[in-house]
Amino acid sequence: MERSNNRFGLTEVFKPAGVSKVDIVFVHGINGNPFGTWTSEKDRTFWPAQLLPCFVKEAKARILVYGYDADTVSPVKEIASSDTALDRDGQPRYLRPHDGVAQDRIHNHAEHLVATLCANRRSHHATNHPIVFVAHSLGGIVVKRALIHSSGKKGKHTIHLRSIAVSTYGILFLGTPHLGYDRTKWASWSDDVSCTTLKNGSQARLLEALETNSETLQNIERQFVELASDFHIFYFHETKLTWLDNGWRYIVNEGSAAPVIQDVERAGIQQDHSHMCTFDNIDTPGFDLVAEAIQRYATDAPERIRRRWAIESNEQWLRLLDGVTNGVARLSTSNPTAQASDSMLISDHEAFKNTRSVASPYYLVPWNRVKGFVGRKTQLNEMSAYFSAASMQQPRVLILHALGGQGKSQIVLEYCQRSRERYPGIFWVNASSRSLALQSYTRIATALSSQTQAKVEDGEQIIETVKNLLEDWNESWLLIFDNYDKPDEFGDIRRFLPRGEHGHVIITSRRRDLDRLGDLMELGALSPDEGVNLLLRGYSRQEIAESLEIAKEIISRLGGLALAIDQAGAYIAHRRVPPHQLRGFLETYETQRKEIMSYTPSIFWEYGSMQTLGKEDQTKAMNAFTTWEISMKQLIRDNPYQTDAIVRFLRLSAYFNPARIEELLFRNYWAAFQDRNDVPSEGTQWMNSLEREKFQESNVNGTHAPWLRAIGTKSNIGKETSSHHRPEDQWDTDRFWDLLTKIHNLSLVQNIEKDTQGASFSLHPLVRDWLQHRGQSTNYRQYIAEAFAILESTAAISNRNHASISMDQRAALISHIDACMLNDEHLSEPHKHLGNEDTSYHTANVLARVYNHHGRYDSAERLLRRITKNENAHISYFTSLFQVMRAQGKVEQVVELSHRCQQYRENTLDERHPDRLAFTSELSRALLRLGWYDEAESLQLKTLQLQQEVLGKSHRDTLASMSDLAYSLYRQSKYEESEASAREALHLCESNLPKNDDTTLRIMGILALSLGGQSWFDEAEMIQRQVVVGWQHSLGMEHPTTLNSLHNLAWILTSTKEDEAEELYRYVVQTRKKVSRKGHPDTLDSMQGLANLLRKVVKNEEAEEMFWEIAYLKRDAEGGAD
């Protein structure tokens, strides 16, 4: 496409037909430019102009790119044979040694961005249009600094610059180093991508400013945090490493690019740092995430920004009015003659203030407003701004939606109190039911007209009377419908709404699906500062300051829920907990959640009006747990045929990690039951008995999981059939999504999403606590056991084929196992913990294998030790334990433990049994690790022969044994035999196993070692680099197996590329020290390899120090004396 190559300033690259409504602004990063940064290398696709427009066309979005001098370079160094460096856009990179970004500060670029964007928008009559920023790398820091700069502009001559901060709706940060970067990585990377070197101090100044713990970056982050809640933010991080001169690196690690912050979106893009901002086409990994976020922000922004500008205009007017008044006051004291000429201004201002001091003559509002109301300033201002806009023939209707306990009613009560001067009439209606609403209307009618004698029984007359009275008013009135949570029972609420332009209506509800009645306003969690002020209302300022850190931890644990924080504060005050003991309260909460969240003061509790049985005068104290019970009962009433299924589904979900729970778990669980009904699998008998106990009251069609059928299939409950595999028994994602939507509408789950992998949702941490403790008596163990069973079904799939589940899904699975283990520890009796009873051995073993595969060896060993303390436990459990212990270098203990179960093994299993063969394979690996080569090889040959006869040559276990034998031969320096064995195994793997299967990668690694042993270094290097990439994609960069592959690559490179080998060794040693126990044999091996290399390249002093360190670590590991 034709476009300007202007590197600096704003360039419009797309303009919609007609009048634009939104501006999308792209800001590049370090060593980038406004076109090359966003252009793909392969197809030269400039995606902001070539791919994005079709996604934001309906939003009427204008797309701009911003350029600034972001080069951090000095004179060009040669690239191959070229004398001129080209940027990504194919244009010559003209480099100057002294006038680059290093001499400009980040603040200068931020100022220029604000001024340029402000001028452009004013010239296009778009000053109030929403803005969505898309920023890569350093560009994100510039955008943050720009918003800080813009938000502070309130002076008469610079107020126009404030429009950028007011108009900004969302920001997409791609690889931005929010928490800084490792300078050594960036120096090498910027050198690589720019083909230049950083040689003088001024050119390094910017990189210094972005370094971890730099004062500049910390100041920007601290100031931006105060503004961040005003914006929708999406953090993207790179998931592929960049090859630098000093090894494989993340340019910006996940922790810096996507810090975990509440209510902020985050995701990974399957690219390295330089390419995460380029896309060849719409199918390029990551584009769907980025494009969807931009589309969503552009679509949702106009209404939110319109409200924000209404608030801003009001505040600017008040500032201007105050400024005029103050100026007049100063003139009147210094110049008496000015008093007469400016008296009109003073009287006008006084008149304005006087109109605000007249209280409402009709104020029919409950008096249970929270004493000392704190926070919610932003929401109160938004409500005021919303009702400041002109209305036509109908009253403006605002739907205030939030989770139960978030403070909807209290914020409306506060708004009423603050608006008494604004409205001559404020009327409160209890909308919990139609009958209660009629009672409220009766009181309103009586208050408005002394001649009204109507009673509740005259329902239609009451409604018409109130509507007529309010419609005839020539003054403003406010009508509040509180707790409108049952629209299916109270469906004609529109009949209660008067017409006319003078009225305003607020409806509070837990239901999200009321947007047809008016404009929806979400009430989120309290900010940390607001929460602390509410929690510690009775504390002095000094005590609050001293307790601030732990108080914020409490707020975070309570999810910012207003009612829960108020309850916790009441409990703390009741127990008279001093400030220095607040951490003890947090520890107490974990063991006494139900008691604390059910505590309410006996008197003066403002949340005491929960209606029961439809009668307003029968109330009981509201607490965080009872408020959600209302939503649950509503859900049950709406879905009577799914009651048990929904309750069980929600309660089971409460035992997982609440941050993200995927449909995948339940779909796999259902599939496991379907398979188990036809072919009972060995080791799952405990589940069958457990299911009979659990579901004895509701055994539908013979299946073991009726609740699963009810929530995730098309099957009709109660329909008789003997078939287990009817079409309607297939898992139905749409049905599951419909159920999630119903629950989401009642705010019992949050953040529901749906993509090609299925649906997902999250739980508020306190809703999770309530679900776990719901009911008078709860058999926690029953739910924990089934939660473990659900996880087992997905874990089993992952264990069979790791590639079948993505890395993100495996990480989520680990987090759910951790959460279940923690719940098991807190809520189950010790003798019933997972793995302590024979009925849970199988599940414990499956989950331990997941831990083992992810390098969580301590967690895996803890589970397996529970099982194998019973010496009669199945031999497969000992095999799993041996794998974990060998990975930790505890090979002597493996051999010792094998003798314990020798007799049991020989008496119970034939030597040809697959489980016994697996046991001997694992034992041979331990013998090999000990250096007992003859014993290991003898056992391997015998095991391999039996496996080929029993399982066949292409079986995974047989191939694993072939790789063991090849490795054994390699360790004995029989390189040619090792190569032959590895190539044979690899040929079978390629024919029978998926690409990049774990077994295939292991055999490739052994082949590379055997080639290296024969000095075939080029082929060995090529194969080993493929192995490294395979493990990296499967397990991540810091997994022990990936580190082992990097160690082997370093060994291969020692003979040909010493510098790269040294860097690889250093990375592996440093990372292994971080992730492994002190003195781990693998760490010592890598240290030995590095020390040998250092001695080879004549770095003798450092080599000597490392040899001594190895000796000390070995001594400590063996328990040697001084």
Side-chain angles (χ1 to χ4, degrees):
M1 62 175 289
E2 295 293 329
R3 62 172 184 263
S4 167
N5 282 325
N6 181 18
R7 286 192 61 189
F8 305 125
L10 277 170
T11 304
E12 184 182 275
V13 298
F14 175 77
K15 184 175 183 180
V19 179
S20 66
K21 295 182 179 179
V22 180
D23 285 346
I24 301 171
V25 182
F26 287 77
V27 183
H28 64 78
I30 199 166
N31 293 318
N33 73 58
F35 299 101
T37 291
W38 314 103
T39 300
S40 66
E41 292 181 355
K42 180 182 177 182
D43 294 342
R44 311 301 299 160
T45 301
F46 179 57
W47 69 272
Q50 293 175 263
L51 301 181
L52 185 61
C54 65
F55 290 86
V56 295
K57 184 166 54 178
E58 292 186 5
K60 296 288 184 181
R62 191 169 63 118
I63 302 176
L64 306 100
V65 292
Y66 176 72
Y68 60 104
D69 191 351
D71 293 335
T72 60
V73 300
S74 61
V76 181
K77 73 178 182 182
E78 291 185 357
I79 319 173
S81 59
S82 174
D83 294 324
T84 305
L86 301 181
D87 64 16
R88 281 208 199 129
D89 207 31
Q91 302 299 316
R93 183 190 293 278
Y94 298 106
L95 305 171
R96 301 171 301 283
H98 300 297
D99 63 349
V101 70
Q103 291 187 328
D104 295 331
R105 294 170 298 170
I106 293 174
H107 178 69
N108 298 134
H109 294 298
E111 283 185 330
H112 188 263
L113 170 59
V114 170
T116 304
L117 187 56
C118 187
N120 178 282
R121 285 160 57 82
R122 293 186 71 169
S123 66
H124 286 78
H125 306 290
T127 298
N128 290 15
H129 289 184
I131 300 172
V132 177
F133 282 106
V134 183
H136 177 238
S137 192
L138 166 66
I141 304 298
V142 172
V143 168
K144 289 162 71 172
R145 189 64 186 86
L147 292 172
I148 294 167
H149 170 69
S150 172
S151 67
K153 295 300 177 184
K154 298 181 181 179
K156 180 170 63 175
H157 300 297
T158 58
I159 190 70
H160 64 286
L161 297 177
R162 183 173 163 80
S163 65
I164 303 303
V166 175
S167 297
T168 297
Y169 177 84
I171 315 167
L172 283 74
F173 292 104
L174 282 69
T176 295
H178 301 282
L179 305 183
Y181 71 99
D182 182 339
R183 189 178 181 186
T184 59
K185 299 178 191 174
W186 272 51
S188 177
W189 172 74
S190 66
D191 180 54
D192 181 61
V193 299
S194 64
C195 304
T196 60
T197 55
L198 298 168
K199 292 184 177 178
N200 61 57
S202 65
Q203 292 163 335
R205 199 173 305 154
L206 177 66
L207 295 183
E208 291 175 0
L210 296 178
E211 195 170 357
T212 303
N213 297 324
S214 79
E215 185 175 351
T216 299
L217 201 59
Q218 289 179 353
N219 287 337
I220 292 174
E221 187 65 19
R222 183 168 57 251
Q223 294 177 70
F224 184 73
V225 164
E226 298 177 3
L227 307 175
S229 61
D230 292 337
F231 312 127
H232 285 67
I233 294 174
F234 206 138
Y235 291 144
F236 293 91
H237 61 90
E238 63 211 66
T239 62
K240 288 188 177 181
L241 301 173
T242 299
W243 178 252
L244 307 174
D245 290 341
N246 56 356
W248 291 94
R249 298 287 189 273
Y250 287 115
I251 301 303
V252 181
N253 63 41
E254 180 180 349
S256 182
V260 179
I261 298 175
Q262 185 176 4
D263 205 30
V264 170
E265 298 178 272
R266 59 195 304 276
I269 292 180
Q270 297 294 317
Q271 287 293 351
D272 61 24
H273 186 77
S274 297
H275 299 92
M276 68 185 300
C277 53
T278 65
F279 307 103
D280 284 314
N281 51 61
I282 61 174
D283 296 322
T284 302
F287 178 78
D288 53 347
L289 282 172
V290 174
E292 186 279 331
I294 296 174
Q295 181 186 52
R296 173 158 45 90
Y297 289 179
T299 302
D300 296 346
E303 179 59 23
R304 177 65 179 269
I305 297 305
R306 182 188 65 77
R307 294 183 192 174
R308 193 183 294 171
W309 268 110
I311 297 172
E312 178 68 16
S313 300
N314 186 46
E315 290 180 351
Q316 288 186 16
W317 182 82
L318 289 175
R319 281 198 296 270
L320 177 62
L321 188 58
D322 287 341
V324 171
T325 306
N326 292 335
V328 171
R330 286 194 298 272
L331 282 172
S332 65
T333 56
S334 61
N335 182 8
T337 60
Q339 291 183 342
S341 61
D342 293 311
S343 60
M344 181 63 71
L345 286 174
I346 297 175
S347 61
D348 284 349
H349 190 207
E350 289 299 317
F352 167 76
K353 292 194 291 185
N354 289 338
T355 61
R356 294 168 60 85
S357 64
V358 179
S360 305
Y362 297 100
Y363 189 72
L364 277 67
V365 175
W367 289 100
N368 57 343
R369 173 171 164 260
V370 172
K371 179 183 177 182
F373 183 90
V374 299
R376 301 301 194 188
K377 179 181 177 181
T378 299
Q379 291 80 9
L380 288 166
N381 285 339
E382 286 188 357
M383 293 170 69
S384 179
Y386 176 79
F387 289 124
S388 296
S391 58
M392 302 301 288
Q393 299 300 315
Q394 298 295 331
R396 305 212 77 194
V397 179
L398 179 66
I399 315 295
L400 190 61
H401 165 264
L403 173 72
Q406 200 61 274
K408 300 180 295 294
S409 300
Q410 287 301 325
I411 195 174
V412 176
L413 285 168
E414 184 67 19
Y415 179 76
C416 291
Q417 180 64 26
R418 296 185 182 190
S419 303
R420 293 187 69 172
E421 301 91 352
R422 178 174 180 175
Y423 299 101
I426 302 179
F427 310 98
W428 194 278
V429 178
N430 185 343
S432 299
S433 68
R434 195 177 194 277
S435 61
L436 290 173
L438 286 172
Q439 289 181 22
S440 299
Y441 259 49
T442 300
R443 286 193 292 269
I444 295 171
T446 302
L448 290 176
S449 175
S450 58
Q451 299 179 3
T452 300
Q453 302 296 326
K455 298 181 180 180
V456 176
E457 288 76 8
D458 307 318
E460 296 305 315
Q461 182 181 344
I462 287 292
I463 295 172
E464 292 304 316
T465 297
V466 173
K467 287 172 64 177
N468 291 335
L469 288 169
L470 292 180
E471 287 170 2
D472 290 341
W473 270 29
N474 291 321
E475 297 180 280
S476 298
W477 49 263
L478 176 64
L479 193 57
I480 299 99
F481 290 84
D482 190 36
N483 291 326
Y484 182 61
D485 300 325
K486 305 172 186 176
D488 51 337
E489 297 179 9
F490 182 6
D492 62 341
I493 191 173
R494 281 197 177 97
R495 284 191 45 75
F496 285 71
L497 303 181
R499 292 185 295 272
E501 57 184 327
H502 298 296
H504 296 153
V505 177
I506 298 175
I507 300 175
T508 72
S509 180
R510 305 167 192 220
R511 299 290 296 248
R512 281 188 170 86
D513 51 352
L514 302 181
D515 50 344
R516 291 187 179 182
L517 294 176
D519 296 308
L520 199 67
M521 177 178 170
E522 294 276 358
L523 185 61
L526 287 173
S527 71
D529 289 338
E530 291 173 337
V532 169
N533 289 334
L534 179 58
L535 181 75
L536 305 179
R537 279 188 300 190
Y539 286 59
S540 68
R541 289 186 179 180
Q542 181 178 350
E543 289 174 325
I544 292 176
E546 294 172 352
S547 312
L548 190 60
E549 183 179 348
I550 182 59
K552 287 186 176 181
E553 287 186 39
I554 295 174
I555 302 307
S556 176
R557 179 62 183 86
L558 299 178
L561 193 76
L563 175 55
I565 295 169
D566 214 356
Q567 274 185 257
Y571 183 88
I572 289 170
H574 172 67
R575 296 291 184 184
R576 300 186 180 181
V577 179
H580 65 277
Q581 292 183 7
L582 282 177
R583 187 166 296 281
F585 165 80
L586 197 56
E587 295 169 357
T588 300
Y589 175 80
E590 295 302 336
T591 57
Q592 300 180 26
R593 287 176 280 183
K594 186 173 183 179
E595 176 185 348
I596 293 173
M597 284 298 101
S598 299
Y599 173 78
T600 55
S602 57
I603 58 174
F604 304 130
W605 182 241
E606 295 91 345
Y607 307 93
S609 58
M610 185 182 77
Q611 281 68 33
T612 59
L613 304 177
K615 299 180 181 179
E616 191 173 24
D617 58 340
Q618 293 186 2
T619 64
K620 64 178 181 179
M622 179 77 76
N623 61 60
F625 280 9
T626 56
T627 186
W628 298 316
E629 195 64 41
I630 299 172
S631 294
M632 178 67 88
K633 290 179 179 177
Q634 176 67 30
L635 185 64
I636 290 171
R637 280 195 296 269
D638 292 347
N639 303 275
Y641 299 110
Q642 292 179 291
T643 295
D644 293 339
I646 291 173
V647 171
R648 185 170 293 277
F649 162 67
L650 284 173
R651 294 195 67 172
L652 284 167
S653 299
Y655 291 92
F656 302 138
N657 182 341
R660 181 179 173 86
I661 303 171
E662 296 182 309
E663 176 188 354
L664 172 81
L665 298 176
F666 304 98
R667 184 171 64 236
N668 289 340
Y669 189 41
W670 175 250
F673 272 111
Q674 292 290 85
D675 294 341
R676 195 171 293 121
N677 282 341
D678 281 345
V679 184
S681 59
E682 183 177 354
T684 60
Q685 293 85 351
W686 74 272
M687 289 183 64
N688 294 332
S689 62
L690 177 65
E691 285 131 22
R692 283 194 295 273
E693 176 186 346
K694 290 177 192 172
F695 306 121
Q696 57 184 349
E697 77 281 1
S698 179
N699 186 19
V700 180
N701 296 339
T703 184
H704 294 300
W707 69 270
L708 271 172
R709 169 170 285 162
I711 69 167
T713 75
K714 295 179 178 179
S715 175
N716 294 319
I717 302 301
K719 183 179 178 180
E720 294 295 335
T721 178
S722 59
S723 172
H724 291 302
H725 289 289
R726 303 171 302 167
E728 60 266 34
D729 272 346
Q730 297 302 308
W731 186 264
D732 186 349
T733 293
D734 290 336
R735 177 162 183 166
F736 185 79
W737 175 253
D738 290 343
L739 173 63
L740 271 189
T741 303
K742 293 177 183 177
I743 302 173
H744 182 252
N745 284 337
L746 288 168
S747 302
L748 288 176
V749 300
Q750 299 176 320
N751 302 323
I752 62 171
E753 297 176 2
K754 188 178 182 182
D755 56 26
T756 55
Q757 300 298 315
S760 65
F761 62 96
S762 64
L763 286 171
H764 189 284
L766 288 188
V767 173
R768 175 199 60 186
D769 294 345
W770 162 69
L771 286 167
Q772 288 181 1
H773 296 284
R774 185 174 180 266
Q776 295 298 317
S777 59
T778 303
N779 184 354
Y780 299 116
R781 182 61 203 161
Q782 169 182 312
Y783 287 96
I784 292 171
E786 189 170 7
F788 276 131
I790 292 172
L791 296 178
E792 179 193 353
S793 61
T794 296
I797 295 172
S798 177
N799 290 338
R800 286 194 297 270
N801 180 10
H802 302 302
S804 64
I805 297 179
S806 70
M807 189 184 299
D808 288 342
Q809 289 172 334
R810 293 201 302 271
L813 176 62
I814 285 282
S815 73
H816 293 316
I817 297 173
D818 286 341
C820 271
M821 292 293 292
L822 192 61
N823 284 313
D824 195 23
E825 181 180 340
H826 285 164
L827 301 174
S828 298
E829 299 174 24
H831 70 278
K832 292 187 176 181
H833 287 170
L834 183 70
N836 279 341
E837 295 182 299
D838 57 2
T839 53
S840 66
Y841 284 176
H842 183 270
T843 299
N845 182 51
V846 172
L847 300 185
R849 288 179 60 192
V850 176
Y851 274 139
N852 179 47
H853 184 73
H854 286 77
R856 293 278 300 277
Y857 302 127
D858 289 343
S859 300
E861 184 175 353
R862 191 178 306 116
L863 270 177
L864 293 167
R865 288 283 188 185
R866 289 179 185 175
I867 303 173
T868 55
K869 67 185 178 183
N870 177 0
E871 294 189 4
N872 292 325
H874 194 271
I875 195 172
S876 60
Y877 305 140
F878 285 94
T879 303
S880 296
L881 178 60
F882 290 176
Q883 291 174 348
V884 174
M885 294 172 66
R886 179 172 56 83
Q888 298 176 85
K890 302 177 181 179
V891 286
E892 296 92 343
Q893 296 180 42
V894 170
V895 177
E896 179 183 346
L897 187 59
S898 70
H899 296 313
R900 265 182 48 196
C901 51
Q902 180 79 19
Q903 184 176 359
Y904 168 76
R905 184 175 77 244
E906 294 176 353
N907 291 340
T908 57
L909 292 177
D910 180 79
E911 67 173 3
R912 298 168 63 85
H913 192 284
D915 288 337
R916 182 166 172 179
L917 293 173
F919 178 92
T920 55
S921 290
E922 191 56 46
L923 179 58
S924 72
R925 295 177 188 125
L927 295 173
L928 179 62
R929 187 65 177 269
L930 284 170
W932 299 359
Y933 300 127
D934 292 340
E935 294 89 338
E937 184 177 347
S938 174
L939 192 57
Q940 286 169 343
L941 287 169
K942 180 180 179 180
T943 302
L944 178 58
Q945 180 181 353
L946 290 171
Q947 285 177 325
Q948 289 175 335
E949 294 174 2
V950 175
L951 304 174
K953 287 187 176 183
S954 61
H955 191 277
R956 186 186 300 275
D957 289 353
T958 307
L959 295 172
S961 292
M962 291 180 70
S963 71
D964 291 341
L965 179 59
Y967 186 61
S968 177
L969 294 168
Y970 162 76
R971 291 295 297 269
Q972 298 175 71
S973 301
K974 300 176 181 179
Y975 301 128
E976 292 182 359
E977 294 177 58
S978 174
E979 179 190 353
S981 181
R983 288 193 185 279
E984 180 185 1
L986 184 59
H987 175 72
L988 290 170
C989 284
E990 291 172 344
S991 304
N992 297 282
L993 297 180
K995 186 178 180 181
N996 286 335
D997 183 84
D998 290 359
T999 303
T1000 306
L1001 290 174
R1002 288 192 182 95
I1003 294 172
M1004 288 174 65
I1006 295 167
L1007 175 59
L1009 290 174
S1010 66
L1011 291 169
Q1014 299 173 74
S1015 299
W1016 299 105
F1017 296 117
D1018 290 342
E1019 186 179 0
E1021 177 186 346
M1022 180 190 68
I1023 294 173
Q1024 189 60 30
R1025 288 193 187 277
Q1026 294 178 44
V1027 173
V1028 169
V1029 172
W1031 287 125
Q1032 175 197 337
H1033 287 169
S1034 174
L1035 302 175
M1037 202 59 191
E1038 294 188 351
H1039 191 281
T1041 302
T1042 308
L1043 294 174
N1044 189 53
S1045 68
L1046 286 168
H1047 168 97
N1048 292 341
L1049 177 59
W1051 175 81
I1052 292 169
L1053 294 175
T1054 298
S1055 299
T1056 56
K1057 300 177 181 178
E1058 294 170 345
D1059 290 344
E1060 183 181 351
E1062 181 181 340
E1063 290 301 321
L1064 280 175
Y1065 269 134
R1066 290 188 187 278
Y1067 172 78
V1068 173
V1069 168
Q1070 179 184 2
T1071 308
R1072 276 182 165 164
K1073 284 183 175 180
K1074 181 174 68 173
V1075 302
S1076 301
R1077 64 178 174 84
K1078 185 178 181 181
H1080 191 287
D1082 289 345
T1083 306
L1084 298 178
D1085 286 348
S1086 296
M1087 292 175 67
Q1088 186 74 42
L1090 176 57
N1092 291 336
L1093 178 59
L1094 291 172
R1095 186 163 55 185
K1096 178 183 177 184
V1097 297
V1098 200
K1099 296 182 180 180
N1100 294 325
E1101 185 175 345
E1102 186 179 359
E1104 188 70 17
E1105 290 178 1
M1106 185 155 291
F1107 282 130
W1108 276 109
E1109 184 182 359
I1110 294 168
Y1112 283 126
L1113 289 172
K1114 283 184 176 179
R1115 183 203 60 183
D1116 292 343
E1118 295 168 358
D1122 291 337

